[in-house]
Amino acid sequence: MNVIKTLKPLTRAVITTLMCSLPLLGVSSVHASAVSTPLKSAPLKVTLSPSDPTWQLAINNKLLGPTEVLIEPTERGFARQVQPLLQAGNYSEVAALFKGRDINQDSTALNLLRAQVLLSTKDFNNAELAYLACLKASPDLVKAHQGLSLLYMQQAKYDKAQTHLVHSIELGQADAQSYAQLAYIHVQHSQPWSAVAAYRQALMLAPETSQYQQGLLFALIESGDLNQANALLKELLNKSPDKAELWLQRAQIALQLDHKKQALAAIEVALKLNPKDTSNQLLAAQLHLSEGSTERAVSLLKQGLTHANKKQQIEVINTTMQTLGWLVSEQKWNLAKDLIGSAKRLTKQLPRDEQAQFSVYSAQLAMQQGNTTRALKSLNNALKINPNLGDALLSLASIYRSKNQLTQAKLMYVRAQALPDYQLSAWLGLSQIAIDSKEYPSALKHLRKALQANPERQDLITNIRALENIVRQEG
């Protein structure tokens, strides 16, 4: 009995193993089985982003006292009107009162207040106009540069923010928040070493500020200084063991060191702290697959399919598709059934070709369950979407051969042989059909094509020699 195995890329459909057993040699059988192949994927990485910062904006509540810039005597009545509103934090009412005033007629002090109030109410366009009016009158007004840096940071205009922030530091406003803002901008510009330096300056001035500590940790990880990052992370976890973000950063460090078990343990803690975080569920699922914990991986994917928001659904279903391909190749049918059932409602969001591949996986499950009717329907649906889907063609050929409908099976193999990734399987299928039909010269022709294209497949030589002997005998 001589075995010919057809090999295909990872996560493809069930890989057919043809037992090319010649009738004259006493065996005649064909069966389908899966080839076990370890799951391979892109390098796993925790998707981290710097914590959303909270920056403080100091609003001048004492217009009538001595300040960096002074209001005009004619503005004192307005100042007395807004003073209690400012002290009460009713900034929207103050903003409404400013609408009745001409920005070009107000003093720099009043325009600075206008800008601060409008920034606090997120009226960015008018706040920017007011700050620029201040700088036109007083180019080195520190509070105007500070305010503009905050305004531009909230709009993710980091280059503009950096210009005003650096100017305010040069003018003497070198406080912890200014350095932390500068560090955050360096992170956004993918300059982790500069961010590390700026965060350290901020922490020199405010050593117990957790926001700055976590920013430094993020920058250290991004810069690749994992020893320093580990030391800081241990300190932060001792203080705040319930912060999921810290456990994710521990996972990221472990992954960079290729310590997958440690990464997985850290991510599982993060999931306990935040059970519905879809990104963490996906990463944990991939790690569990790589570590052989298939049932836990499928459970996490099913949770991800349930919890994912619209933005996350595509990522979840793509990871699910990769996992399904692996489960099918490993013949883990019960888990494949669970995952197919959970994913079905989201498959319409997939690209058309991926929808077709999902139909193939559903068909392969149906074939395993002996439901040929459902398998045929799914495969034909897949080929309507993508007529060149090799997995569907080979699976259809397998069904037709099992029904002894050799003409239809041959047609599927002929179509599959035009696809480079499926040529070997197609040639072996055509060879087996020719053997079943006792057309040995034709079978020999297909096997020789297979060997010529895959010279490393020495197992084909035995089958070719056996066929050559038969052809000679029939001479």
Side-chain angles (χ1 to χ4, degrees):
M1 183 171 66
N2 305 314
V3 179
I4 302 176
K5 294 182 179 178
T6 63
L7 301 179
K8 300 192 316 182
L10 177 67
T11 74
R12 297 286 187 181
V14 172
I15 300 170
T16 305
T17 300
L18 292 176
M19 300 186 69
C20 181
S21 309
L22 310 181
L24 293 179
L25 298 179
V27 182
S28 178
S29 66
V30 177
H31 70 278
S33 66
V35 174
S36 288
T37 313
L39 182 66
K40 297 178 181 177
S41 61
L44 299 176
K45 184 178 180 181
V46 179
T47 303
L48 294 174
S49 59
S51 301
D52 291 335
T54 301
W55 310 116
Q56 299 298 319
L57 174 66
I59 294 181
N60 181 14
N61 289 336
K62 298 179 180 179
L63 287 175
L64 298 175
T67 58
E68 188 177 359
V69 285
L70 301 177
I71 63 172
E72 298 293 334
T74 56
E75 297 169 337
R76 289 182 176 273
F78 181 77
R80 293 189 184 94
Q81 182 183 5
V82 300
Q83 191 78 48
L85 296 174
L86 290 171
Q87 291 176 343
N90 295 330
Y91 299 129
S92 59
E93 292 185 38
V94 178
L97 291 173
F98 267 115
K99 286 183 179 180
R101 300 185 64 87
D102 185 349
I103 190 173
N104 296 313
Q105 299 300 318
D106 282 342
S107 67
T108 301
L110 212 53
N111 277 334
L112 179 60
L113 176 63
R114 180 199 303 265
Q116 292 171 338
V117 168
L118 293 175
L119 176 57
S120 71
T121 59
K122 299 190 182 302
D123 185 352
F124 296 132
N125 290 337
N126 287 318
E128 181 182 20
L129 291 175
Y131 276 127
L132 292 175
C134 292
L135 290 177
K136 184 177 180 180
S138 181
D140 290 336
L141 185 59
V142 171
K143 283 184 167 47
H145 287 292
Q146 278 186 305
L148 275 174
S149 72
L150 284 171
L151 184 150
Y152 290 133
M153 286 184 75
Q154 291 190 54
Q155 295 178 306
K157 296 177 180 178
Y158 297 116
D159 288 333
K160 286 186 174 183
Q162 185 171 2
T163 297
H164 290 282
L165 189 56
V166 169
H167 200 168
S168 70
I169 291 174
E170 291 172 346
L171 291 170
Q173 190 65 37
D175 58 3
Q177 176 169 287
S178 296
Y179 282 116
Q181 285 178 255
L182 192 58
Y184 185 83
I185 290 172
H186 286 314
V187 168
Q188 299 302 323
H189 285 159
S190 299
Q191 298 168 332
W193 285 111
S194 297
V196 167
Y199 273 127
R200 282 178 170 155
Q201 283 290 109
L203 285 166
M204 284 178 63
L205 299 171
E208 297 302 318
T209 307
S210 61
Q211 178 179 299
Y212 304 163
Q213 292 171 334
Q214 289 183 45
L216 175 59
L217 177 59
F218 178 87
L220 286 169
I221 294 173
E222 290 296 295
S223 70
D225 191 346
L226 302 186
N227 289 331
Q228 290 285 326
N230 252 329
L232 178 57
L233 182 58
K234 288 179 182 178
E235 181 182 330
L236 294 178
L237 278 172
N238 285 335
K239 293 180 181 177
S240 306
D242 294 335
K243 281 196 173 180
E245 181 182 351
L246 295 178
W247 289 102
L248 286 177
Q249 287 170 317
R250 168 170 277 190
Q252 175 67 328
I253 293 172
L255 283 174
Q256 289 189 34
L257 296 172
D258 200 30
H259 298 162
K260 290 184 179 179
K261 290 187 183 298
Q262 290 181 18
L264 188 52
I267 290 172
E268 285 287 6
V269 174
L271 279 174
K272 286 181 181 178
L273 296 171
N274 191 0
K276 296 185 178 181
D277 189 303
T278 303
S279 297
N280 296 348
Q281 288 168 344
L282 288 181
L283 180 58
Q286 293 176 75
L287 278 168
H288 275 295
L289 282 173
S290 69
E291 293 298 306
S293 308
T294 314
E295 290 186 8
R296 174 60 174 158
V298 170
S299 174
L300 286 166
L301 281 174
K302 289 169 66 177
Q303 291 177 43
L305 289 164
T306 301
H307 298 147
N309 58 38
K310 288 186 177 180
K311 289 183 179 180
Q312 296 169 323
Q313 284 176 350
I314 295 298
E315 184 184 2
V316 176
I317 194 66
N318 285 339
T319 303
T320 298
M321 287 292 291
Q322 181 191 20
T323 305
L324 270 177
W326 185 78
L327 292 173
V328 168
S329 74
E330 289 288 300
Q331 291 188 297
K332 296 182 179 293
W333 299 111
N334 287 336
L335 293 174
K337 179 183 176 182
D338 283 350
L339 204 49
I340 286 172
S342 296
K344 193 170 183 179
R345 67 182 181 87
L346 295 178
T347 53
K348 290 183 180 179
Q349 298 180 37
L350 286 167
R352 296 274 291 168
D353 285 351
E354 290 292 301
Q355 289 183 35
Q357 186 64 56
F358 185 84
S359 291
V360 172
Y361 294 147
S362 299
Q364 290 166 339
L365 176 63
M367 290 167 67
Q368 176 66 22
Q369 295 171 332
N371 193 333
T372 305
T373 302
R374 193 172 76 213
L376 284 170
K377 181 179 179 181
S378 294
L379 291 170
N380 282 314
N381 285 339
L383 288 173
K384 284 180 183 177
I385 297 172
N386 183 358
N388 295 320
L389 189 57
D391 291 342
L393 293 170
L394 293 180
S395 295
L396 269 178
S398 176
I399 291 175
Y400 288 139
R401 284 181 57 229
S402 69
K403 292 175 169 291
N404 204 33
Q405 297 174 354
L406 299 185
T407 300
Q408 290 98 320
K410 185 175 180 180
L411 177 61
M412 296 299 106
Y413 283 131
V414 169
R415 289 171 62 181
Q417 75 177 347
L419 307 172
D421 287 343
Y422 298 88
Q423 283 180 333
L424 179 58
S425 296
W427 286 328
L428 294 177
L430 288 168
S431 175
Q432 187 66 64
I433 288 176
I435 291 170
D436 294 343
S437 304
K438 299 185 178 181
E439 297 172 359
Y440 302 120
S442 178
L444 188 56
K445 178 186 71 174
H446 293 304
L447 282 183
R448 283 173 175 164
K449 282 184 183 178
L451 181 62
Q452 184 178 3
N454 302 271
E456 74 282 358
R457 291 292 302 271
Q458 294 298 304
D459 56 311
L460 297 177
I461 295 176
T462 303
N463 295 276
I464 289 172
R465 287 174 179 167
L467 281 171
E468 287 175 339
N469 287 336
I470 294 173
V471 171
R472 280 196 295 272
Q473 290 172 13
E474 291 188 341

